[in-house]
């Protein structure tokens, strides 16, 4: 077996296989190049003729998955020879891949993913003439919707933040920011949908967002923060006096 890049004069030897082997995977093609291959049959005293076969090699992309506020975000490195990319998804229990989109950019958001469901994704490169292979094992992610903060209110000695439960979430991370803060800071983790922030100062405005967690999978943060200006409740003392309760 031999190969060359189209335009080169000489073929380069790859390997020899036995007569029962009728296929071989060449692992060193050059992305975007037209690769030509020949196979010769040989025995102890003769060598066959051959017919070259050529095709453009398109390297299958490595995909990164993350949960966004709009769905599952797929990203990969752009391929210079690509005219487009074919996106495939496999739902739990599915035997075969389903093509869900064709795009020209090196990213895609699956807006049909359901929160709490784990999916497999893979991507193929299309050059206009040739379709690449892909990672048949796929990349896995459990989709988690971004939590929606329902209310942020003053409590007795705390600010109470509540949000809507996210299907598939096992816990939640709560983030806080004041008007003086430039970044969000995680202030707590809980398995419920209520968090009481006791580390607060009166007359300070606090804003809150939340992330949903399920093992190694994390949602994006809440799309909209909710805020309140914390006012400490007065401490009341009661005592009996000659004129009544004071």
């Amino acid at each position: 077996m031999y190969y060359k890049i189209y335009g080169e004069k000489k073929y380069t030897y790859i390997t020899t296989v036995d007569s029962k082997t009728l296929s071989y995977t060449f692992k060193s093609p050059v992305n975007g190049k037209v690769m030509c291959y020949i196979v010769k049959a040989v025995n102890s005293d003769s060598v066959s003729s051959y017919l070259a076969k050529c095709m453009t090699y398109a390297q299958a992309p490595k995909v990164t998955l993350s949960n966004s506020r709009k769905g599952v975000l797929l990203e990969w490195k752009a391929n210079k020879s690509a005219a487009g990319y074919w996106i495939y998804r496999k739902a739990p229990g599915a035997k075969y891949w389903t093509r869900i989109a064709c795009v020209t950019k090196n990213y895609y958001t699956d807006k049909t993913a359901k929160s709490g469901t784990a999916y497999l994704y893979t991507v193929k490169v299309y050059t206009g003439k040739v379709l690449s292979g892909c990672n048949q094992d796929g990349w896995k992610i459990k989709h988690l919707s971004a939590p929606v903060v329902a209310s942020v209110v003053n409590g007795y000695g705390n600010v109470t933040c509540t949000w809507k439960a996210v299907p598939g979430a096992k816990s939640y991370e709560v983030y806080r920011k004041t008007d003086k803060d430039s970044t969000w800071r995680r202030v707590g983790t809980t398995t419920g949908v209520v968090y009481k922030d006791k580390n607060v100062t009166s007359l300070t405005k606090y804003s809150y967002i939340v992330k949903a967690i399920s093992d190694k999978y994390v949602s994006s943060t809440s799309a909209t923060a909710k805020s309140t200006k914390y006012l400490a409740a007065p401490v009341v003392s009661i005592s009996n006096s000659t004129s009544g309760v004071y």
Side-chain angles (χ1 to χ4, degrees), residues 180-243:
K180 296 181 179 180
D181 296 329
S182 58
T183 58
W184 292 96
R185 183 171 66 88
R186 189 176 70 181
V187 292
T189 301
T190 180
T191 57
V193 293
V194 178
Y195 179 77
K196 293 185 177 183
D197 185 7
K198 298 179 180 180
N199 185 23
V200 289
T201 302
S202 190
L203 301 179
T204 302
K205 182 180 177 180
Y206 295 98
S207 300
Y208 295 85
I209 56 176
V210 182
K211 285 183 181 180
I213 310 293
S214 181
D215 301 321
K216 64 179 181 179
Y217 303 110
V218 183
S219 76
S220 63
T221 56
S222 308
T224 304
K226 288 207 170 184
S227 308
T228 189
K229 186 175 184 179
Y230 176 64
L231 296 174
V235 178
V236 179
S237 298
I238 299 176
S239 62
N240 289 315
S241 70
T242 57
S243 58

Side-chain angles (χ1 to χ4, degrees), residues 1 10 24 26 32 42 50 58-59 73 76 86 94 115 124 138 141 146 149 154 159 165 197 203-204 238-239:
M1 300 179 67
K10 294 183 179 180
Y24 179 79
F26 180 51
V42 298
Y50 59 86
Q59 186 175 21
L73 175 63
W76 56 91
W86 292 11
S115 186
K124 293 182 179 181
I141 189 171
V149 178
N154 286 324
V159 172
D197 185 7
L203 301 179
T204 302
I238 299 176
S239 62

Side-chain angles (χ1 to χ4, degrees), residues 8 12-13 18-19 37 46 50 54 56-57 61 75-76 83 86 108 121 147 159 162 164-165 187 200 219 234 240:
E8 294 180 344
T12 299
Y13 172 77
D18 60 48
S19 60
Y37 303 90
S46 63
Y50 59 86
C54 303
T56 302
Y57 174 65
E75 298 175 286
W76 56 91
W86 292 11
Y108 173 74
Y121 292 90
V159 172
T162 62
K164 295 180 180 180
V187 292
V200 289
S219 76
N240 289 315

Side-chain angles (χ1 to χ4, degrees), residues 33 41 70 85 88-89 104 131 144 152 186 192:
K33 297 292 185 179
K70 294 183 178 180
Y85 304 92
Y88 295 82
R89 186 180 77 180
T104 56
L131 189 64
L144 295 170
V152 172
R186 189 176 70 181

